[in-house]
């Protein structure tokens, strides 16, 4: 079958198939700064002890918030963050050139954007190794992961590269892997740790095992994630209208979806 993609696009696709993720520099810095600045305001509103002159409440949040309070703090930020009228628009604009290359240009987007906060030595805010499809997500979804701080090593996340996945699925039938810790130990030699800076965006295939471990750095990790997919690709447990909402539906598709054959009376 003949492909109409350019050589550059084919090269990108080949790399994405092999790795299962890609990292790009954000071109729309206005949208990225809109997101970060609004989260900064919400942080100051949530905790009055943080001085307004504090330049970076992100990396050093653990100086102001106790580990035992971090989940309630995070949930309150998420609740108020998702009330912002233009949040989803700016999140999409940060990633749109890249998500369209992977998922197409007629997209649905997750209704609520997630925020993760992982403070140093916090073992209560972990995401054990998993793939989103194991809990009912569609294999056609792509995760857009935006760091609000520089992330690497244990301050970041790990992922099993796509070129290691087939071997993993073969070995799961042969090995006795009864829990997530055993699974992590089984895969850890193959995991890649994402090295990404603020001002970059990560897109990844969420059918691949991924997660994080205890943050052993001296800084707090702030990151956001949101799922996108083609509006016409199959859905999992998360349906359009419930979890996803159309954001770039084209006229021909809208016309086709609304079309009904006329009924004619027979003689």
């Amino acid at each position: 079958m003949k492909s109409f993609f350019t050589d550059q696009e084919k090269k990108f696709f080949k790399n994405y198939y092999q790795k299962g993720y890609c990292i790009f520099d954000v071109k729309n810095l206005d949208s990225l700064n809109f997101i970060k600045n609004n989260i900064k305001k919400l942080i100051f509103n949530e905790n009055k002890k943080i001085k307004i002159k504090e330049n970076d409440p992100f990396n050093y949040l653990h100086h102001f918030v106790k580990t035992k309070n971090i989940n309630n703090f995070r949930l309150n930020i998420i609740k108020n963050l998702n009330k912002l009228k233009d949040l989803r628009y700016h999140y999409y604009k940060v990633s749109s050139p890249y998500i369209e290359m992977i998922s197409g240009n007629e997209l649905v987007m997750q209704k609520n954007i997630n925020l993760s906060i992982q403070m140093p030595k916090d073992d209560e805010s972990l995401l054990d190794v998993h793939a989103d499809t194991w809990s009912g997500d569609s294999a056609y979804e792509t995760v857009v992961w935006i760091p609000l701080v520089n992330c690497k090593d244990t301050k970041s996340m790990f992922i099993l590269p796509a070129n290691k996945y087939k071997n993993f699925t073969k070995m799961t039938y042969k090995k006795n892997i009864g829990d997530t810790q055993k699974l992590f130990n089984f895969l850890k030699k193959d995991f890649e740790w994402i090295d990404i800076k603020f001002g970059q965006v990560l897109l990844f295939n969420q059918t691949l095992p991924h997660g994080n471990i205890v943050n052993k750095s001296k800084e707090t990790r702030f990151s956001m994630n949101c799922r996108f997919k083609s509006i016409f690709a199959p859905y999992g447990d998360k349906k359009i209208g419930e979890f996803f909402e159309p954001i770039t539906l084209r006229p021909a598709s809208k016309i086709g979806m609304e079309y009904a054959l006329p009924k004619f009376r027979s003689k």
Side-chain angles (χ1 to χ4, degrees):
M1 182 176 68
K2 183 173 176 59
S3 169
F4 292 161
F5 292 116
T6 65
D7 289 342
Q8 185 177 3
E9 288 171 325
K10 290 176 185 176
K11 183 178 179 181
F12 166 75
F13 295 153
K14 182 179 180 180
N15 186 61
Y16 188 76
Y17 289 137
Q18 290 177 344
K19 294 179 73 70
Y21 68 89
C22 54
I23 296 173
F24 290 102
D25 292 333
V26 173
K27 294 179 180 178
N28 192 331
L29 292 176
D30 287 343
S31 286
L32 182 62
N33 287 327
F34 171 90
I35 294 169
K36 187 167 185 176
N37 289 337
N38 274 285
I39 293 177
K40 185 185 289 189
K41 289 177 186 177
L42 292 173
I43 290 171
F44 291 142
N45 289 338
E46 189 65 26
N47 190 322
K48 304 299 183 184
K49 293 180 182 178
I50 302 176
K51 296 179 181 179
I52 198 71
K53 67 180 181 180
E54 178 68 42
N55 251 351
D56 181 8
F58 298 96
N59 279 297
Y60 305 107
L61 185 74
H62 53 284
H63 292 173
F64 306 99
V65 180
K66 293 181 179 179
T67 302
K68 67 179 182 179
N69 298 328
I70 190 58
N71 195 47
N72 284 336
F73 181 91
R74 182 181 71 89
L75 292 175
N76 286 338
I77 296 292
I78 289 174
K79 180 181 70 175
N80 291 311
L81 181 63
N82 280 286
K83 290 178 181 178
L84 293 176
K85 178 183 175 183
D86 295 323
L87 173 70
R88 292 169 71 248
Y89 168 78
H90 285 291
Y91 202 98
Y92 163 69
K93 294 303 287 184
V94 165
S95 59
S96 59
Y98 323 116
I99 192 66
E100 289 181 3
M101 288 180 70
I102 294 171
S103 299
N105 63 7
E106 290 190 281
L107 298 168
V108 290
M109 178 182 182
Q110 189 174 321
K111 280 186 168 184
N112 290 308
I113 294 170
N114 293 322
L115 174 70
S116 295
I117 304 174
Q118 192 181 12
M119 300 200 295
K121 300 179 182 179
D122 178 11
D123 59 3
E124 299 293 324
S125 302
L126 302 182
L127 233 99
D128 292 327
V129 57
H130 70 288
D132 297 4
T133 45
W134 298 351
S135 56
D137 281 35
S138 168
Y140 293 82
E141 296 170 20
T142 301
V143 178
V144 174
W145 197 89
I146 299 177
L148 298 174
V149 294
N150 296 343
C151 300
K152 67 177 182 178
D153 302 325
T154 62
K155 193 188 170 188
S156 187
M157 59 167 277
F158 59 79
I159 188 168
L160 182 72
N163 57 13
K164 303 281 187 178
Y165 184 73
K166 285 186 179 179
N167 185 55
F168 155 69
T169 56
K170 289 177 184 176
M171 293 303 292
T172 52
Y173 288 100
K174 300 178 182 179
K175 298 284 184 179
N176 180 20
I177 303 173
D179 56 48
T180 53
Q181 187 57 52
K182 285 183 180 178
L183 181 58
F184 177 83
N185 291 336
F186 176 64
L187 291 173
K188 65 180 179 181
K189 69 181 185 303
D190 293 324
F191 283 140
E192 292 186 5
W193 291 86
I194 300 299
D195 188 343
I196 187 170
K197 295 178 174 60
F198 173 69
Q200 296 180 311
V201 58
L202 165 72
L203 283 74
F204 70 90
N205 170 1
Q206 45 95 55
T207 69
L208 301 172
H210 59 280
N212 60 34
I213 64 172
V214 173
N215 178 4
K216 297 177 182 177
S217 78
K218 295 181 179 180
E219 297 174 333
T220 295
R221 188 194 93 192
F222 265 80
S223 62
M224 305 175 73
N225 66 83
C226 184
R227 287 155 184 81
F228 294 79
K229 65 180 289 297
S230 167
I231 190 170
F232 297 112
Y235 291 80
D237 291 341
K238 296 172 180 176
K239 307 295 184 184
I240 189 170
E242 299 171 1
F243 185 83
F244 288 107
E245 186 175 70
I247 57 170
T248 53
L249 189 62
R250 307 287 173 165
S253 296
K254 189 174 181 182
I255 290 167
M257 293 169 73
E258 294 173 349
Y259 178 74
L261 281 168
K263 296 181 180 179
F264 296 96
R265 289 181 59 187
S266 58
K267 291 184 179 179

